[in-house]
Amino acid sequence: MTKQSKLKSMKAKYYLIPAAACLAAIAVLGYYYFLTPFLDSSETEYVYIDSDDTPDSLYAKLEPIGSGHGITGFRTLMRHTGSEQRLRTGRYALTPSMTTVDVFRRLRSGRQEPIRLTIPEVRTMPQLAARLAQKLMLDSATIASRLTGDTAACLFVPNTYEVYWNVSIDGLLSRMKREHDAFWNSTRRSLAHNVGLTPNEVCTLASIVDEETTNEAEKPMVAAMYLNRLRIGMPLQADPTVKFALGDFTLRRIYNAHLEVESPYNTYKYAGLPPGPIKIASVKGIDAVLHPANHNYLYMCAKEDFSGTHNFARTYSEHLLNAARYARALNQRGIK
């Protein structure tokens, strides 16, 4: 090798050293900003992105839980991939082991974590809409606008379901319809037919049973009593339906003046079942109607010991004695 060639080779090596150092620095920085854990905590954190979020609001949600270099790396990835222009709504689980790149990929792809949504046994559809809105991206007005009609409550079977936080109202109702249809299988429909009711009518009667007693063991007794009344055309005369008609669920005693309320839900005025449920019926209440006790009682009155159970009677005269004992107990306690 000539002297000139040696000089060129040495110069090339001198140029390679800073280049290699630069590449190493870039690699270290890249690893630091993109491949180290994103979270600044050891717990799984959840990020909610809704339709009103902007890149800035997303960054504001991430800053309290992300490390400083993780946020910088995430911003860089979002900006240089055009992802700031297409935020994906949803509820995202960020685990302590996830790197900044992992977080970026999860949010960009929309791989969200489902929530456990419990359908509560509420009395009215506005109440249900408000409860669901607390758990979903949907607002209560949007939900309530679709929960109309006397039998809307029949769609819902109280249970806990896994759904996505950003589910649409159509998606939510479709899911509830699938769950409703799965619940009302051929066996339950056959049992409903045996007691002379449709599934919606079973839910309606079950809602009354639920309101009459919280004692699960007594529900088949209460259900059977109302079924006995329906069979002979006797008015149900169920106090909970009057409370529903009045919109006052705090009433402890029902007086004659209350019975004058004009409403198809007033089962003192109108025979048969009301137009729809007075609450979302419980599964226990539904099963009580589908599997009623075998008796011929036509009357019931709350027990005077305030145990939450009832005295049942076959005749009106027997019922009046039970009612008198309960009225005395109310008066003694000053309950109006």
Side-chain angles (χ1 to χ4, degrees), residues 189-197 231:
R189 288 181 179 274
S190 177
L191 290 169
H193 178 76
N194 290 344
V195 296
L197 302 176
R231 290 189 188 103

Side-chain angles (χ1 to χ4, degrees), residues 35-55:
L35 298 177
T36 54
F38 175 83
L39 290 182
D40 198 20
S41 71
S42 59
E43 303 290 334
T44 296
E45 302 284 355
Y46 293 91
V47 175
Y48 296 80
I49 303 177
D50 62 40
S51 55
D52 294 327
D53 271 316
T54 64

